[in-house]
């Protein structure tokens, strides 16, 4: 079982979906990630895409985020996330969307800018490697929408073997600027911020 690293629920265990290949972010990677992020801003909303166990969103709630939205298309995995939230007393601060990421983001993109997310976590299946699969359209949609707060961060997790090709190909995504990159064993993390507006 996974554990919550820190915050009000630090040390508590998380259920993981039985028989599902959800590849949760390892404890040491989550610890390093949240040490860099620091505490969430007051009133922060976070979005956990391809949520799997929900560990990233739940860790954010434990550390003080006001609300977390989890997007996961597997119904059994969604039930596990809901169980974790209920057992940890977090259900009232969370929303679980049981659908694929693309239509879920289409729904969320109509939110007002005031309801933008301060942190967005994206951890698509590693089978969609390099620049194929989910990530090009995902970053494009986020970069062109108001989903990410002006002072927000998008954190993308990839296999380290794909990190260089991925970062090089997508560094110039409209609306997003690559802020930082880190590697932790077989895992690579990339941070993106909203790009400053181009001068007229």
């Amino acid at each position: 079982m996974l554990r919550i690293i820190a915050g009000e629920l630090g040390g508590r265990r998380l259920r993981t979906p039985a028989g599902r290949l959800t590849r949760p972010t390892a404890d040491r990677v989550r610890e390093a990630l949240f040490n860099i992020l620091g505490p969430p801003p007051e009133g922060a909303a976070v979005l956990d895409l391809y949520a799997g166990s929900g560990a990233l969103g739940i860790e954010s709630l434990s550390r003080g985020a006001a609300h977390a939205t989890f997007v996961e298309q597997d119904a059994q995995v969604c039930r596990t996330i809901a169980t974790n939230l209920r057992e940890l007393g977090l259900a009232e601060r969370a929303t679980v969307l049981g659908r694929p990421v693309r239509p879920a983001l289409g729904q969320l993109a109509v939110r007002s800018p005031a309801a933008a997310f301060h942190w967005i976590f994206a951890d698509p299946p590693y089978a969609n490697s390099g620049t194929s699969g989910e990530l090009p359209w995902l970053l494009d949609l986020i970069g062109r929408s108001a989903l990410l707060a002006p002072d927000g961060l998008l954190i993308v997790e990839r296999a380290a073997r794909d990190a260089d090709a991925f970062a090089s190909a997508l560094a110039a995504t409209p609306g997003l600027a690559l802020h930082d990159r880190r590697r932790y064993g077989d895992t690579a993390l990339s941070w993106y911020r909203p790009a400053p507006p181009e001068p007229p």
Side-chain angles (χ1 to χ4, degrees), residues 6 12-13 24 26 30 33 44 57-58 72 76 79 87 89 101 111 149 161-162 167-168 177 179 184 188 197:
R12 294 283 297 273
R13 298 285 176 173
R30 280 189 291 120
L33 167 61
I58 290 173
E72 170 58 53
Q76 180 177 326
R79 288 192 290 271
E87 292 181 345
V101 166
R111 294 155 55 106
R161 64 180 180 270
D162 297 328
S168 298
H179 174 68
Y184 304 94

Side-chain angles (χ1 to χ4, degrees), residues 5 25-39 55-57 59-60 63 119-123 153-157 182 184 187-191:
I5 304 299
T25 302
D27 285 358
R28 66 184 182 84
V29 178
R30 280 189 291 120
E31 183 171 16
L33 167 61
F34 282 94
N35 283 344
I36 294 169
L37 289 175
L56 293 172
E59 185 76 34
S60 301
R63 293 171 183 252
W119 294 342
I120 299 177
F121 302 103
D123 182 13
L153 284 169
L154 165 65
I155 302 98
V156 178
E157 181 175 336
R182 306 287 177 100
Y184 304 94
T187 301
L189 300 177
S190 298
W191 281 258

Side-chain angles (χ1 to χ4, degrees), residues 113-134:
F117 296 99
H118 292 83
W119 294 342
I120 299 177
F121 302 103
D123 182 13
Y126 282 2
N128 294 323
S129 60
T131 59
S132 65
E134 302 282 285

